[in-house]
């Protein structure tokens, strides 16, 4: 059910939305939380408002974030050797879908936590996405309440 | 009460009303918290992007519903995305009508009801809620601008 009206799905990192922080290396000076380890996250979402909020919130909570707009860009980034502790992956991506992206990432041997996200919760979508290799299926918005427990788990296990 | 204090009160009261009337939810607070000295216009910038994306989505929706044969999958995808982006900035009432819209579009087999007709009604609702929240947010930003121009600062 990918939307073929793509908003910022050109796969470029950041897309340069007038200086808005989309992570991509920039770190907030005074994060709301600090961690024992350096935590890195990859946000994969073609909807730019969502992507900016997801990146911005993770950054605010002390995570180093990279953000891309397509599954292809995510796979390329990982293939280039970039490693992440957490991947936040939208289900309805325009070309390579969320589930296809998850499957590809898992086939590459990546075992980090993948949180699948979608605008609305649907049992069928959740089953499909989980079967593709994500660890949890979450309904947007992607809030600190939702992600902090996962960050804590990841930080404790590192 | 001096000018700055008056504007601050106006801002607080107006913001409170937006939450009370359900236009905004907690996610808007999250958005505001992301604004700081290094990103002083973050809220206005993100909301402006939201307005741009929303207007594009609404145009696409209108176009999709004008087709002789409506592609309900396309309509559904647009509404789905609109629900996602409106939830990301805390536009609660827009989210709710998007959810209702999706439910209507899914009920394509109800006897005697033309789905496109219901979808058009839903689109009207979404357009209405979107223009309401757009107006409200533009007013909010106007008050903030006046407050800053008067030498005040936005209360956290």
């Amino acid at each position: 059910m990918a939307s073929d009206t793509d908003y910022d799905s050109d796969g470029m990192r950041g897309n340069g939305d007038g200086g808005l922080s989309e992570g991509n290396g920039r770190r907030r000076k005074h994060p709301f939380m600090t961690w024992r380890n350096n935590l890195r996250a990859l946000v994969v979402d073609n909807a730019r408002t969502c992507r900016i909020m997801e990146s911005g919130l993770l950054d605010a909570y002390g995570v180093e974030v990279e953000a891309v707009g397509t599954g292809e860009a995510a796979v390329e980034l990982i293939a280039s050797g970039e490693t992440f502790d957490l991947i936040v992956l939208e289900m309805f991506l325009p070309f390579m879908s969320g589930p296809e992206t998850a499957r590809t990432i898992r086939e590459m041997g990546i075992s980090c936590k993948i949180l699948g996200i979608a605008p609305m919760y649907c049992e069928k979508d959740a089953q499909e996405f989980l079967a593709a290799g994500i660890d949890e299926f979450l309904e947007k918005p992607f809030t600190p309440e939702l992600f902090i427990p996962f960050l804590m788990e990841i930080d404790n296990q590192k | 009460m001096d000018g700055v204090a008056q504007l601050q009160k106006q801002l607080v009261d107006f913001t409170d009303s937006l939450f009370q009337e359900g236009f905004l939810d907690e996610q808007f607070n999250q958005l505001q918290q992301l604004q700081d000295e290094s990103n002083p216009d973050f809220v206005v910038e993100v909301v402006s992007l939201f307005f741009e994306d929303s207007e594009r989505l609404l145009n696409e929706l209108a176009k999709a519903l004008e087709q002789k044969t409506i592609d309900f999958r396309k309509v559904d995808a647009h509404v789905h995305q609109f629900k996602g982006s409106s939830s990301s900035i805390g536009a609660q009432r827009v989210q709710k009508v998007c959810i209702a819209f999706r439910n209507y579009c899914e009920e394509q087999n109800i006897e005697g009801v033309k789905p496109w007709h219901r979808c058009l009604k839903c689109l009207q609702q979404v357009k209405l809620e979107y223009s309401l929240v757009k107006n409200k947010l533009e007013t909010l930003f106007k008050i903030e601008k006046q407050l800053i121009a008067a030498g005040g600062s936005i209360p956290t």
Side-chain angles (χ1 to χ4, degrees):
Chain A
M1 210 181 79
S3 165
D4 42 281
T5 321
D6 53 275
Y7 304 94
D8 291 275
S9 56
D10 55 10
M12 283 171 67
R13 287 159 69 163
N15 292 318
D17 285 307
L20 283 173
S21 171
E22 285 196 49
N24 296 354
R26 273 172 287 182
R27 304 299 296 273
R28 190 182 185 88
K29 279 198 186 122
H30 305 290
F32 299 146
M33 280 181 87
T34 52
W35 307 96
R36 290 187 304 125
N37 298 285
N38 184 45
L39 301 181
R40 290 195 84 217
L42 173 62
V43 168
V44 192
D45 196 336
N46 62 307
R48 67 178 173 177
T49 325
C50 298
R51 187 174 65 241
I52 289 166
M53 284 303 293
E54 286 145 15
S55 313
L57 284 169
L58 283 167
D59 173 64
Y61 282 86
V63 180
E64 191 185 324
V65 190
E66 292 283 345
V68 295
T70 64
E72 286 84 348
V75 167
E76 204 179 296
L77 204 53
I78 293 168
S80 74
E82 299 256 10
T83 57
F84 301 98
D85 303 295
L86 174 70
I87 299 173
V88 181
L89 178 59
E90 158 65 53
M91 178 151 189
F92 301 103
L93 295 172
F95 311 111
M96 193 188 228
S97 71
E100 282 168 346
T101 307
R103 213 167 282 124
T104 307
I105 291 173
R106 290 299 189 212
E107 279 165 9
M108 291 165 82
I110 305 299
S111 56
C112 73
K113 185 85 94 189
I114 304 180
L115 300 178
I117 56 175
M120 285 189 241
Y121 181 84
C122 162
E123 186 63 38
K124 188 164 142 268
D125 292 341
Q127 300 296 358
E128 184 191 338
F129 216 177
L130 286 162
I134 63 167
D135 295 294
E136 298 278 344
F137 183 90
L138 303 169
E139 181 176 308
K140 286 176 170 178
F142 188 67
T143 62
E145 205 172 57
L146 280 180
F147 67 69
I148 288 170
F150 293 111
L151 294 178
M152 284 175 144
E153 189 189 314
I154 293 164
D155 192 43
N156 285 334
Q157 282 171 4
K158 260 190 112 164
Chain B
M1 209 188 267
D2 80 323
V4 169
Q6 200 158 40
L7 280 166
Q8 269 179 342
K9 183 175 188 311
Q10 195 186 348
L11 182 64
V12 169
D13 290 347
F14 186 72
T15 309
D16 283 349
S17 76
L18 296 185
F19 283 90
Q20 276 160 27
E21 289 165 29
F23 286 104
L24 299 176
D25 63 26
E26 169 59 26
Q27 186 70 359
F28 191 77
N29 284 327
Q30 300 291 346
L31 169 58
Q32 287 179 311
Q33 285 190 33
L34 293 181
Q35 184 157 298
D36 63 7
E37 327 76 50
S38 58
N39 279 309
D41 302 310
F42 192 74
V43 178
V44 171
E45 286 173 0
V46 175
V47 172
S48 302
L49 288 180
F50 169 68
F51 289 161
E52 263 181 51
D53 288 348
S54 301
E55 272 142 43
R56 201 163 21 191
L57 270 166
L58 287 171
N59 280 333
E60 293 295 323
L61 264 168
K63 261 198 279 181
L65 290 173
E66 280 165 18
Q67 302 306 308
K68 243 186 169 168
T69 327
I70 296 173
D71 183 350
F72 283 103
R73 265 187 9 170
K74 218 174 196 175
V75 172
D76 191 53
H78 291 317
V79 176
H80 208 218
Q81 189 157 42
F82 201 10
K83 192 268 176 188
S85 58
S86 58
S87 76
S88 74
I89 64 145
Q92 190 177 243
R93 281 163 60 152
V94 174
Q95 271 187 77
K96 289 197 167 145
V97 291
C98 284
I99 293 168
F101 195 155
R102 267 203 106 208
N103 291 337
Y104 279 142
C105 282
E106 276 171 11
E107 294 168 32
Q108 289 176 43
N109 294 320
I110 294 176
E111 276 211 45
V113 178
K114 290 199 183 98
W116 65 260
H117 186 250
R118 296 180 83 175
C119 282
L120 275 176
K121 281 204 99 175
C122 287
L123 178 59
Q124 275 164 24
Q125 280 289 101
V126 172
K127 275 181 163 166
L128 174 64
E129 287 300 340
Y130 167 70
S131 63
L132 285 173
V133 79
K134 182 167 190 250
N135 251 301
K136 297 284 185 184
L137 288 169
E138 284 173 340
T139 304
L140 180 72
F141 297 148
K142 206 160 119 199
I143 303 172
E144 284 180 350
K145 241 179 159 173
Q146 286 171 347
L147 175 58
I148 291 171
S153 58
I154 298 169
T156 42

